[in-house]
Amino acid sequence: DVSVGADTEQSIHKNATSSISENGGNIKSFEELQREMQLRSDPSYLQTISMNELFDTQYRSKQSLIDGLLYPGTYIFAGSPKLGKSFLMAQLAYHVSTGTPLWNYTTRKGTVLYLALEDDYRRLQERLYRMFGTESTDNLYFSVSASQLGNGLDEQLARFVAEHKDTKLKEVDMEKNQLTDFNLSGLPEVTKLSLNENSIVTFSSTGNSVLKNLGLKSNKIDSHQFEISSLANSLEQLNVSENGENFVALNLINFDKLQYFTANDNPELTTVVFYDGSTNLKQISMNNCHIMHFYAISLPNLSSLNLSNNALLDFENGTYPNLSTLSVNGNYLSEIDVTKFPKLFSFDCSSNQLTDINVANNPELNYLNCGNNKLTSVDVSTNKELGSLLVNGNPLSRIDISNNESLG
């Protein structure tokens, strides 16, 4: 007999002679990854994966709660009335809370919260006594009344987890609510937190030092009431886009684990300071802000830097040897030096006050937009890979593209 559960291995009618993991997999080069990122920014791009790529990719399996039967996730268990749905859910909850096998399936012990919102405690007591006799457990909790999702239930669940430390809650999603302040003290083990589209003004990470992914897009964060210092050694992704006029500055100088930082559409954001020498930071995006100065530091693995539509008067050259995408359009730059970015693939410096640009040291350049400047000449003779060139709105009288076959 074969029993099939979510995310378990299922038999294939035709046996392969080698396993997927034995094939090693095709690891994409850094350049291929950068080109893929550029393609994904095109709204007409449809991301696909071939069968070979699918087989060559190793995916991490979810650890089961009940082997071969129950895995982490969301399930809809439906059926006609009086078929025993509540009895089965109670049985699942009991076996997980005690760690005892269910129908000979191995079970991993953990704390369980059972919301029996159509019952009362008397009926629960009778049902559980009929099912399990006097064999009780301290790890199974019941409630017959709770708030609605998006209207208090999120906070109730967070408090339950805080009060039951053995509950291994790792991800919390409280998007699209009306939260005005948030404190992580009750969620010490959460590694991913999404609070997008709330009205949060005050945020504190105190009590949590393991969070890796924090989403605070579309809130009302006051940067003077934004305390995340406890996450300096853990945070990898941070999105604070669209937080309004009180989000004016951010100090990330100690955040050496940060990989992806997004802070678009903050009209009063003037300053963000990053960890000098970070080998982890890969992407910075601060479009449509009021950034006046981007400090020249060493970010050896930075691949994408987006500073479009800011208030930049100058652009100091930092150490970004792997920079692939640079967008500084819509600023007040009169000069910019990209000669130290040999991996540059996409460069947008349009709508500035540039009188000269030098892209001779950017052999991989594929996209160049230098329109609406004060350029009298543009030399792209060494850019053999150039596929897109925009120079409109300049006092150019002539441009030589005879060496750029991809533009033909």
Side-chain angles (χ1 to χ4, degrees):
D1 293 337
V2 177
S3 178
V4 177
D7 285 331
T8 60
E9 294 182 356
Q10 301 184 28
S11 59
I12 299 177
H13 198 64
K14 212 172 186 179
N15 291 328
T17 58
S18 62
S19 69
I20 293 175
S21 60
E22 290 172 347
N23 293 331
N26 297 322
I27 301 175
K28 294 183 179 179
S29 68
F30 183 83
E31 290 75 14
E32 288 176 319
L33 289 173
Q34 303 312 308
R35 283 167 173 75
E36 187 172 311
M37 287 170 49
Q38 183 68 26
L39 285 171
R40 289 184 183 186
S41 65
D42 186 342
S44 65
Y45 174 66
L46 176 64
Q47 183 182 357
T48 61
I49 184 171
S50 70
M51 188 172 181
N52 283 339
E53 290 177 305
L54 186 63
F55 275 19
D56 287 342
T57 302
Q58 295 186 17
Y59 296 97
R60 181 182 297 176
S61 298
K62 294 181 179 178
Q63 187 179 49
S64 63
L65 299 175
I66 302 176
D67 281 355
L69 182 65
L70 184 64
Y71 289 75
T74 302
Y75 297 83
I76 297 177
F77 186 63
S80 300
K82 305 302 179 182
L83 285 181
K85 299 186 298 296
S86 296
F87 280 89
L88 179 56
M89 291 300 101
Q91 190 169 20
L92 291 174
Y94 179 81
H95 281 266
V96 171
S97 68
T98 59
T100 55
L102 175 64
W103 308 322
N104 294 322
Y105 290 98
T106 300
T107 302
R108 288 175 175 79
K109 185 177 180 179
T111 297
V112 178
L113 172 62
Y114 187 126
L115 300 182
L117 305 182
E118 294 183 352
D119 271 323
D120 56 47
Y121 289 122
R122 180 189 60 80
R123 288 183 60 191
L124 276 175
Q125 183 189 62
E126 292 176 354
R127 180 183 302 145
L128 295 172
Y129 185 76
R130 288 164 57 192
M131 295 177 69
F132 309 114
T134 58
E135 296 294 326
S136 185
T137 170
D138 289 334
N139 290 329
L140 178 53
Y141 295 83
F142 297 90
S143 178
V144 296
S145 62
S147 299
Q148 293 182 337
L149 189 64
N151 191 29
L153 179 59
D154 300 333
E155 292 84 348
Q156 290 176 333
L157 293 177
R159 181 169 179 174
F160 176 85
V161 171
E163 293 173 350
H164 301 85
K165 301 299 183 182
D166 60 332
T167 305
K168 304 300 182 182
L169 183 64
K170 296 296 183 182
E171 298 186 12
V172 175
D173 186 339
M174 296 185 182
E175 292 188 355
K176 298 182 180 179
N177 284 289
Q178 298 180 11
L179 303 176
T180 57
D181 63 88
F182 198 90
N183 192 310
L184 265 172
S185 60
L187 299 170
E189 296 188 23
V190 168
T191 59
K192 183 177 180 180
L193 176 61
S194 182
L195 297 169
N196 300 323
E197 297 184 52
N198 278 280
S199 299
I200 297 173
V201 176
T202 303
F203 181 90
S204 173
S205 67
T206 302
N208 184 304
S209 59
V210 297
L211 190 71
K212 294 183 178 181
N213 189 325
L214 176 57
L216 283 164
K217 180 181 177 181
S218 299
N219 279 279
K220 299 177 181 179
I221 297 290
D222 184 335
S223 54
H224 297 99
Q225 301 181 60
F226 187 51
E227 171 53 50
I228 58 172
S229 59
S230 69
L231 307 177
N233 295 317
S234 66
L235 196 62
E236 297 176 358
Q237 298 184 45
L238 175 60
N239 189 338
V240 286
S241 297
E242 301 174 26
N243 267 282
E245 59 185 17
N246 291 320
F247 196 75
V248 298
L250 186 58
N251 186 356
L252 299 172
I253 198 168
N254 294 318
F255 286 69
D256 61 328
K257 299 294 191 298
L258 191 64
Q259 298 181 26
Y260 304 95
F261 176 71
T262 308
N264 299 320
D265 303 299
N266 291 300
E268 300 301 323
L269 180 62
T270 61
T271 306
V272 179
V273 183
F274 298 95
Y275 178 79
D276 191 356
S278 172
T279 58
N280 292 307
L281 194 54
K282 297 178 177 67
Q283 294 183 24
I284 297 173
S285 185
M286 297 187 289
N287 298 318
N288 305 313
C289 298
H290 198 70
I291 303 296
M292 295 185 288
H293 187 79
F294 190 79
Y295 294 93
I297 58 177
S298 174
L299 298 172
N301 290 317
L302 186 69
S303 63
S304 180
L305 178 57
N306 298 293
L307 299 168
S308 300
N309 302 316
N310 277 279
L312 290 172
L313 295 172
D314 56 63
F315 183 84
E316 291 186 17
N317 262 8
T319 304
Y320 319 129
N322 284 304
L323 191 65
S324 174
T325 299
L326 176 61
S327 299
V328 290
N329 52 294
N331 284 283
Y332 304 98
L333 300 174
S334 58
E335 59 181 0
I336 187 168
D337 181 5
V338 295
T339 58
K340 296 182 180 179
F341 308 144
K343 300 288 188 179
L344 198 61
F345 180 82
S346 174
F347 180 33
D348 189 346
C349 58
S350 60
S351 301
N352 279 281
Q353 299 177 22
L354 300 173
T355 57
D356 180 56
I357 60 168
N358 181 0
V359 290
N361 291 344
N362 310 108
E364 299 183 16
L365 193 64
N366 177 268
Y367 175 88
L368 174 61
N369 185 352
C370 54
N372 298 309
N373 278 285
K374 299 179 180 179
L375 301 171
T376 57
S377 65
V378 177
D379 183 0
V380 291
S381 59
T382 63
N383 306 106
K384 308 293 186 181
E385 302 297 322
L386 196 62
S388 298
L389 175 63
L390 297 108
V391 295
N392 54 293
N394 284 287
L396 293 170
S397 58
R398 183 177 180 275
I399 184 169
D400 183 3
I401 58 171
S402 59
N403 290 334
N404 307 100
E405 296 182 0
S406 297
L407 289 175

